[in-house]
Amino acid sequence: MNSTLTQLTEKIAEALTKINAPGDPILQPSQDNKFGDYQCNAAMGLAKKLGKKPRDVAQDIIDNLDVTDLCETPEIAGPGFINLRLKPAFVAASLATIPPTSTDDRAVDRVGFDPVEKPEVVAVDLSSPNLAKEMHVGHLRSTVIGDCVARVLEFQGHTVHRENHVGDWGTQFGMLVAYLRHTQPDIINDPDNLEIKDLESFYVAAKARFDADEDFKTESRETVVALQQGDPVIWKIWQAFCKESLRHCHEIYDLLKVELTDRGESFYAEGMEVVCKRLEKMRDSGENEAVRDSDGALCIFPGGFTTRDGEPLPMIVRKTDGGHNYATSDLATILHRVNELGATRIVYVVGITQKQHFDMLFASVRKIGWVGENVRLEHLGFGSLLSKTGRPFKTREGGTVKLKSLLEEAITRARSVIDRSGDESKRDDSLSSKEMDNIATVVGLGAVKYFDLSHALASDYKFDLDHMLNLEGNTAPYMMYAYARVRSIGRKAEVDFATLPADAPIILDHPTELALAKKILRFAEILDTVARDLRPNVLTDYLYELSRTFSRFYDK
């Protein structure tokens, strides 16, 4: 099912060609339905080019526009706007193409949508925690937004690789492996039984010993070297630690129902060496002047970036001491995703504070010719999660709040709402304690995820559970309530939505029926917008408006 916007755009494009003015139809949904459902603003921009008044150009477009099967007679308004109002018969016929809901819970219910004609391979870089510590509130947005983007693109029919680029390599892991060897010496013989109940405490204890014990500090540094050189014993302990750390992460992912593929920085260790060798070859041969040394460091100068002193700003790929950094790792990941995964679109769901890094990274790989224009590179930057006071989210002690604690609090608060603050007279005794716990989990986590997605990506927002769990407004509980009401109507009327006959007539007589039908049809264009621009809040805004439109229909 092509969106109505797409169908109308194609029709107007044909009309523009007929009047020798091919170009952008500039079609958009009307902001006020008293002006129709869609508005074409192409005439104003074409007037000077065609040497005519805008209203005359608008009339020429209408005279060559064949939309009789979709719309009522187009109208010209103001200086030359073309207002288009959909015919109820077209709306009804379009809705009739949507098949009944599938009865198979395992099936993806496509609600009348075919996969895109030209599916892409997309790599979505999301979550990306550091395995040395437990996931904290800073990982919520990357995980939830990345999962939403992946789901939308998968629904459209694209092949999506959900890449969890975890930090599992570097000097701190020498310290952690050395400490693990001291505290759990039997781990060498029985790595599968490693268990660390509190990663944060483990890290703090290891760091305290590292700072206080010179012998341990030396051992830690030697352990890093041994790890990077592939020492089998050190490697075995390190693998056990990474596996245990990932177990903690996947407890969160399972709770949020997020699927991804873990690829630590260690996965790209050889690739980072390849990156440096390829750049050295380019530097030595003079193949690309953007690749050169600066103060002993191997760099790429992408151009367009300067220091505070106005000097060209380089992307340092290998430090003066020979060490690798984020740029080295990111270059290796891009090569893997393009050359091995075959990605033609790579999306990095990372905080907006990293904008310059990704701008330079993308400019650098273009400059040295490693990625062509056929591959889209996108940084989906997002704002910060703040406390209710508008300040950074910290514990009372000033530490970083664990993500697990935040989610558990949301579930607990949701359960208290379900319990009606302990009012026994209002409690639903038909539900078992287990069922109520499940509902609390669904509502609590849904509230957190939806609230995050409903904000514009670049903006910060305050974590406010009272607002998130509100049954009114643009919240998950309101959406769940609307859905439950639809299902309740079906039960009370003894209607099985999944078995409704495909040829059941759709009659749109009442204004609220037609308004709801038109709102449902907009789902296709909303989905296209979200997939193109990667803005989840466009989807949540639409769903909220759809629910409100249904509520008005229900009330009338």
Side-chain angles (χ1 to χ4, degrees):
M1 179 175 68
N2 286 332
S3 72
T4 304
L5 183 65
T6 298
Q7 295 179 61
L8 287 172
T9 298
E10 292 173 351
K11 295 281 188 180
I12 295 173
E14 291 173 3
L16 292 176
T17 300
K18 290 177 181 177
I19 65 171
N20 296 317
D24 185 358
I26 315 180
L27 182 70
Q28 60 188 22
S30 297
Q31 298 300 309
D32 189 334
N33 59 18
K34 71 181 180 182
F35 298 120
D37 300 306
Y38 294 90
Q39 188 176 78
C40 171
N41 302 334
M44 280 75 76
L46 292 172
K48 186 175 182 180
K49 177 182 177 181
L50 298 176
K52 294 184 177 182
K53 295 179 180 179
R55 288 183 66 92
D56 292 338
V57 175
Q59 187 61 56
D60 288 343
I61 294 173
I62 290 175
D63 291 342
N64 289 274
L65 183 60
D66 180 15
V67 291
T68 54
D69 53 338
L70 284 80
C71 303
E72 307 289 0
T73 302
E75 298 174 348
I76 301 174
F81 300 117
I82 300 174
N83 293 334
L84 302 165
R85 191 179 301 276
L86 299 178
K87 287 183 175 179
F90 166 76
V91 176
S94 297
L95 286 182
T97 65
I98 302 175
T101 302
S102 172
T103 56
D104 184 356
D105 290 338
R106 296 169 299 177
V108 175
D109 202 333
R110 301 205 57 83
V111 290
F113 288 88
D114 293 325
V116 291
E117 293 182 3
K118 296 179 179 180
E120 292 186 88
V121 176
V122 186
V124 178
D125 189 307
L126 71 161
S127 195
S128 305
N130 188 327
L131 296 191
K133 300 179 181 180
E134 287 193 43
M135 293 176 69
H136 55 76
V137 293
H139 295 111
L140 176 66
R141 301 211 71 187
S142 176
T143 304
V144 169
I145 295 168
D147 180 58
C148 177
V149 166
R151 286 172 182 263
V152 169
L153 294 173
E154 286 165 347
F155 183 83
Q156 284 211 314
H158 301 291
T159 298
V160 179
H161 295 277
R162 298 154 168 259
E163 298 290 295
N164 190 21
H165 187 48
V166 299
D168 67 351
W169 205 240
T171 54
Q172 62 185 336
F173 285 92
M175 174 189 76
L176 295 168
V177 169
Y179 190 69
L180 190 61
R181 186 166 50 185
H182 279 274
T183 55
Q184 298 189 40
D186 294 336
I187 194 62
I188 298 173
N189 300 319
D190 195 10
D192 291 337
N193 285 332
L194 172 64
E195 183 176 355
I196 302 174
K197 292 184 178 180
D198 191 329
L199 277 174
E200 204 74 24
S201 297
F202 182 86
Y203 178 87
V204 169
K207 186 67 168 63
R209 182 162 182 176
F210 181 87
D211 292 337
D213 187 336
E214 286 299 322
D215 289 339
F216 181 73
K217 184 179 294 186
T218 300
E219 180 186 351
S220 297
R221 289 168 176 165
E222 291 173 348
T223 302
V224 173
V225 175
L227 174 62
Q228 293 177 345
Q229 292 178 347
D231 180 283
V233 174
I234 301 300
W235 188 269
K236 193 174 184 179
I237 299 174
W238 169 77
Q239 283 186 312
F241 177 81
C242 290
K243 182 179 179 181
E244 173 63 5
S245 297
L246 281 170
R247 182 183 68 79
H248 283 262
C249 294
H250 279 273
E251 287 181 355
I252 301 294
Y253 298 142
D254 291 344
L255 198 60
L256 293 172
K257 299 189 182 301
V258 172
E259 296 181 359
L260 31 64
T261 299
D262 303 317
R263 292 192 216 271
E265 288 185 351
S266 59
F267 178 85
Y268 302 99
E270 291 185 10
M272 287 188 270
E273 293 295 336
V274 170
V275 163
C276 292
K277 289 179 180 178
R278 287 184 62 177
L279 291 177
E280 285 175 342
K281 185 178 180 180
M282 296 177 79
R283 176 200 63 192
D284 296 343
S285 66
E287 176 185 340
N288 193 308
E289 62 180 12
V291 183
R292 57 185 186 271
D293 287 346
S294 177
D295 296 328
L298 180 62
C299 304
I300 302 173
F301 287 81
F305 301 90
T306 58
T307 65
R308 291 180 179 178
D309 299 328
E311 297 296 319
L313 181 66
M315 171 160 273
I316 300 173
V317 181
R318 187 178 62 206
K319 296 181 289 186
T320 305
D321 62 5
H324 297 151
N325 56 19
Y326 287 126
T328 330
S329 176
D330 284 338
L331 287 169
T333 62
I334 287 181
L335 288 179
H336 176 263
R337 290 165 185 175
V338 172
N339 298 331
E340 302 299 325
L341 300 182
T344 55
R345 187 178 190 183
I346 306 177
V347 181
Y348 291 85
V349 189
V350 183
I352 202 167
T353 55
Q354 297 298 312
K355 182 180 186 305
Q356 186 183 64
H357 168 75
F358 285 103
D359 285 348
M360 291 188 70
L361 176 68
F362 299 162
S364 293
V365 293
R366 303 283 193 204
K367 187 76 173 181
I368 61 179
W370 285 4
V371 174
E373 294 300 326
N374 63 311
V375 178
R376 277 184 288 175
L377 301 172
E378 300 167 85
H379 171 216
L380 200 59
F382 53 82
S384 300
L385 179 62
L386 306 175
S387 66
K388 287 180 68 172
T389 63
R391 297 176 179 175
F393 218 119
K394 299 287 184 180
T395 63
R396 290 180 179 178
E397 296 75 25
T400 306
V401 177
K402 295 179 183 178
L403 181 53
K404 186 177 182 181
S405 300
L406 199 73
L407 299 179
E408 287 174 346
E409 182 185 358
I411 295 170
T412 301
R413 288 287 298 277
R415 178 61 193 258
S416 70
V417 171
I418 294 169
D419 286 342
R420 302 290 180 91
S421 301
D423 187 343
E424 297 287 346
S425 65
K426 296 181 179 179
R427 186 174 297 171
D428 187 348
D429 293 327
S430 66
L431 296 175
S432 68
S433 179
K434 184 177 180 180
E435 288 173 322
M436 292 179 74
D437 284 343
N438 180 59
I439 292 172
T441 300
V442 171
V443 173
L445 297 181
V448 171
K449 293 170 75 172
Y450 186 90
F451 197 69
D452 190 301
L453 296 172
S454 66
H455 287 79
L457 285 175
S459 66
D460 299 339
Y461 77 86
K462 299 176 184 179
F463 190 87
D464 185 348
L465 282 171
D466 291 332
H467 190 170
M468 292 179 185
L469 293 169
N470 200 324
L471 274 173
E472 298 179 359
N474 190 7
T475 65
Y478 175 79
M479 305 298 297
M480 294 176 183
Y481 174 71
Y483 173 75
R485 185 158 60 167
V486 175
R487 304 302 296 185
S488 176
I489 293 168
R491 285 195 306 273
K492 291 177 181 177
E494 298 183 350
V495 173
D496 182 356
F497 293 111
T499 59
L500 287 174
D503 58 350
I506 296 175
I507 302 169
L508 305 174
D509 285 339
H510 197 279
T512 61
E513 286 180 324
L514 184 58
L516 177 59
K518 288 179 178 179
K519 185 67 72 172
I520 292 171
L521 280 192
R522 286 206 60 204
F523 179 54
E525 66 195 56
I526 293 296
L527 201 65
D528 287 343
T529 299
V530 175
R532 182 188 68 241
D533 300 339
L534 305 180
R535 289 190 293 152
N537 64 300
V538 171
L539 182 56
T540 56
D541 288 347
Y542 164 76
L543 293 173
Y544 176 53
E545 285 300 317
L546 177 65
S547 296
R548 292 180 65 194
T549 305
F550 170 78
S551 184
R552 287 191 288 269
F553 156 75
Y554 176 82
D555 292 339
K556 297 294 183 180

